[in-house]
Amino acid sequence: MRVKVLSRNPDDYVRETKLDLQRVPRNYDPALHPFEVAREYTRALNATKLERVFAKPFLSSLDGHRDGVNCIAKHPKSLSTVLSGACDGEVRIWNLTKRQCIRTLQAHEGFVRGMCARFCGTSFFTVGDDKTVKQWKMESPGYGEEEEPIHTILGKTVYTGIDHHWKDAVFATCGQQVDIWDEQRTSPMCSLTWGFDSISCVKFNPIETYILGSCASDRNIVLYDMRQSTPLKKVILNMRTNTLCWNPMEAFIFTAANEDYNLYTFDMRYLTSPVMVHMDHVSAVLDVDYSPTGKEFVSASFDKSVRIFPVDKGHSREVYHTKRMQHVITVKWTSDSKYILCGSDEMNIRLWKANASEKLGVLAPREKAAMNYNQKLKEKFQHHPQIKRIARHRHLPKSIYCQVKEQRIMREARRRKELNRRKHSKPGSVPVVSEKKKHIVAVVQ
């Protein structure tokens, strides 16, 4: 004779503590829950509304600089350490947990044009308007010691940007050309140039570490290979690119911040058209930085706002602004993917949450479960008109709001004009050019 024994897992019905709520077993048969979708929709709607209520992204402002903040650099090993350079040549090192400046040094005469930390985090490099490249210790000088750089390299021209190799003792500077330097030498190992205009930014690829990208003021984005000491290819856009940033998770993908208010995500292997055009800013985009996950990036603009874009979407999911914030010159996403730092004209560095409504601090297990449940509900009903409208809505400063409206009218007028020209021309004489290809002038191999 066979006896079937009831077997229950005590985790399903035993309380962890006597203060815990009794666990109720639940039957998931849809026939027993006819109103489940309606109930879940109401919960998703409430969760979306509460997300907007709790969206308070601004955390704090780090003030102390006496001039506009021109560049920010992250410490590769320490999450709480950030370096910033100002337009008066001053460099400050900040502790983000205490939210205060722990060290100040007068690095250059004139602007600090670029900064980068060494991959091991023991020192950092700065370049300025005084035609010098300086290497500084990350540690503060001991008692009685002078605040002096470890090395100083005097160049022939002004350097406008610097970036360090991700694994080797090599760094690159840009100005009239891209120079690759060994840390032990005072002259560059090789100089790369293509065209005769000043180069505003140079960046090493974090995955294929021998590849560099640079932006020049003659509207070029040029890619170089350090092993061959030659330029690989370049793409010419309609307007100048201010800076670029490589995706830390996908070796071939980079995003360029352009003067024409847009950002372009390119695949290095196929430069004839960008993978995605990101449009939302209403003024020149001055800086861009990827999140460590490679799924999103943050951009800083002359229109006094900071926006967060998903890599595969054409519009931003978030826009940050304050009344006092002026033109945002530089922006960085912290290495734990939780915070965003931006430096602006009015001498402040601001710290924001990357997820505006995220609760900071330790979460109880039930809080975490409720958050995950709400998140899944929002994803399930995200395309429903009511929920979509609430989740998408953002309050904008009046200046940006008016410019967005104006640009929409201009875009619509251009589209209408093109349709009319096509309608009244010989078939095929006015070709249809996609939005992605409109902004590319040429690709040179």
Side-chain angles (χ1 to χ4, degrees):
M1 184 174 112
R2 186 179 295 162
V3 177
K4 276 192 177 176
V5 180
L6 283 177
S7 155
R8 287 203 181 100
N9 182 0
D11 288 351
D12 293 340
Y13 57 89
V14 174
R15 292 187 291 175
E16 285 180 11
T17 67
K18 64 178 187 193
L19 301 173
D20 218 348
L21 294 179
Q22 287 282 6
R23 295 195 176 178
V24 183
R26 181 164 171 218
N27 189 334
Y28 287 93
D29 181 7
L32 298 174
H33 302 281
F35 302 117
E36 186 179 30
V37 174
R39 205 176 299 134
E40 283 191 344
Y41 170 71
T42 308
R43 285 176 187 165
L45 187 64
N46 289 341
T48 309
K49 287 176 180 174
L50 285 174
E51 184 189 45
R52 298 314 317 142
V53 168
F54 292 126
K56 293 184 170 59
F58 180 71
L59 290 174
S60 79
S61 154
L62 310 173
D63 48 352
H65 276 296
R66 294 188 295 271
D67 209 334
V69 181
N70 201 43
C71 51
I72 296 176
K74 292 184 284 194
H75 192 292
K77 303 282 185 195
S78 161
L79 283 174
S80 60
T81 309
V82 165
L83 306 101
S84 64
C87 298
D88 59 354
E90 185 183 66
V91 169
R92 283 179 179 253
I93 301 177
W94 305 86
N95 185 324
L96 292 183
T97 43
K98 294 178 184 169
R99 296 183 189 172
Q100 63 188 34
C101 175
I102 51 175
R103 184 173 161 210
T104 307
L105 47 114
Q106 188 62 38
H108 294 277
E109 300 287 323
F111 282 44
V112 179
R113 288 289 174 190
M115 297 174 76
C116 66
R118 199 171 187 272
F119 60 90
C120 61
T122 52
S123 61
F124 64 94
F125 295 82
T126 61
V127 292
D129 277 357
D130 52 5
K131 302 184 184 177
T132 57
V133 182
K134 293 183 182 178
Q135 184 182 4
W136 307 81
K137 273 188 186 163
M138 196 65 81
E139 298 296 319
S140 301
Y143 181 73
E145 285 182 31
E146 288 288 312
E147 183 77 85
E148 285 185 342
I150 309 170
H151 297 303
T152 303
I153 299 168
L154 185 60
K156 296 185 179 73
T157 57
V158 173
Y159 296 113
T160 52
I162 185 167
D163 195 33
H164 202 283
H165 195 279
W166 290 77
K167 289 175 184 161
D168 301 337
V170 172
F171 64 92
T173 59
C174 61
Q176 290 190 351
Q177 60 197 21
V178 172
D179 293 326
I180 312 287
W181 305 76
D182 190 305
E183 284 181 14
Q184 309 303 323
R185 293 169 57 183
T186 55
S187 57
M189 297 189 321
C190 68
S191 296
L192 307 163
T193 180
W194 192 354
F196 301 99
D197 232 311
S198 62
I199 297 161
S200 58
C201 144
V202 62
K203 290 280 167 73
F204 275 101
N205 190 322
I207 301 166
E208 303 289 347
T209 50
Y210 45 81
I211 287 174
L212 298 102
S214 76
C215 315
S217 52
D218 55 357
R219 304 173 303 163
N220 290 345
I221 299 172
V222 188
L223 302 174
Y224 307 95
D225 191 332
M226 211 168 72
R227 296 166 303 178
Q228 299 173 353
S229 304
T230 54
L232 291 173
K233 46 176 138 176
K234 70 175 172 182
V235 55
I236 305 166
L237 278 76
N238 272 333
M239 288 181 82
R240 192 179 81 205
T241 301
N242 288 315
T243 183
L244 61 85
C245 186
W246 293 94
N247 190 322
M249 287 292 164
E250 296 183 53
F252 303 111
I253 306 294
F254 66 90
T255 297
N258 205 279
E259 283 282 311
D260 64 359
Y261 316 169
N262 298 342
L263 294 114
Y264 301 98
T265 298
F266 283 97
D267 188 322
M268 187 175 94
R269 300 161 295 185
Y270 182 71
L271 290 174
T272 49
S273 82
V275 180
M276 185 60 69
V277 180
H278 309 273
M279 318 165 79
D280 258 346
H281 281 294
V282 292
S283 194
V285 189
L286 301 180
D287 201 9
V288 59
D289 191 42
Y290 263 94
S291 94
T293 59
K295 297 274 179 69
E296 294 181 318
F297 60 84
V298 60
S299 63
S301 169
F302 201 75
D303 63 14
K304 308 176 189 176
S305 71
V306 173
R307 286 183 185 264
I308 301 172
F309 290 87
V311 176
D312 54 350
K313 300 275 194 315
H315 292 285
S316 62
R317 72 160 173 88
E318 203 63 78
V319 53
Y320 294 159
H321 52 85
T322 67
K323 275 187 179 174
R324 293 185 181 184
M325 188 156 77
Q326 295 303 307
H327 312 306
V328 191
I329 299 170
T330 177
V331 71
K332 281 279 179 282
W333 201 308
T334 57
S335 304
D336 61 349
S337 190
K338 284 204 176 262
Y339 306 103
I340 285 164
L341 287 153
C342 69
S344 47
D345 253 358
E346 81 315 330
M347 309 180 278
N348 269 9
I349 297 166
R350 288 182 173 80
L351 183 65
W352 309 83
K353 285 192 270 190
N355 186 1
S357 57
E358 182 181 28
K359 187 184 171 190
L360 298 179
V362 182
L363 294 177
R366 286 177 58 196
E367 250 182 322
K368 209 177 281 183
M371 273 174 52
N372 292 341
Y373 177 59
N374 285 341
Q375 188 58 39
K376 284 292 170 204
L377 284 180
K378 282 184 286 194
E379 284 171 21
K380 183 176 176 181
F381 291 98
Q382 64 183 341
H383 298 298
H384 194 282
Q386 195 74 358
I387 287 177
K388 191 176 176 183
R389 182 184 65 80
I390 295 165
R392 201 182 51 197
H393 181 76
R394 295 290 179 278
H395 283 291
L396 291 172
K398 193 175 179 185
S399 59
I400 295 181
Y401 180 77
C402 294
Q403 280 175 287
V404 166
K405 222 152 78 172
E406 195 180 310
Q407 282 182 9
R408 196 178 295 132
I409 293 165
M410 286 159 68
R411 213 166 27 240
E412 190 52 43
R414 277 199 297 270
R415 197 182 69 84
R416 211 164 45 242
K417 182 178 178 181
E418 196 179 324
L419 284 172
N420 287 340
R421 280 182 61 198
R422 195 170 292 123
K423 195 195 291 181
H424 298 292
S425 302
K426 200 163 72 174
S429 61
V430 181
V432 178
V433 183
S434 73
E435 186 62 47
K436 288 181 181 178
K437 297 206 173 179
K438 259 180 204 169
H439 310 278
I440 307 294
V441 176
V443 176
V444 186
Q445 296 284 355

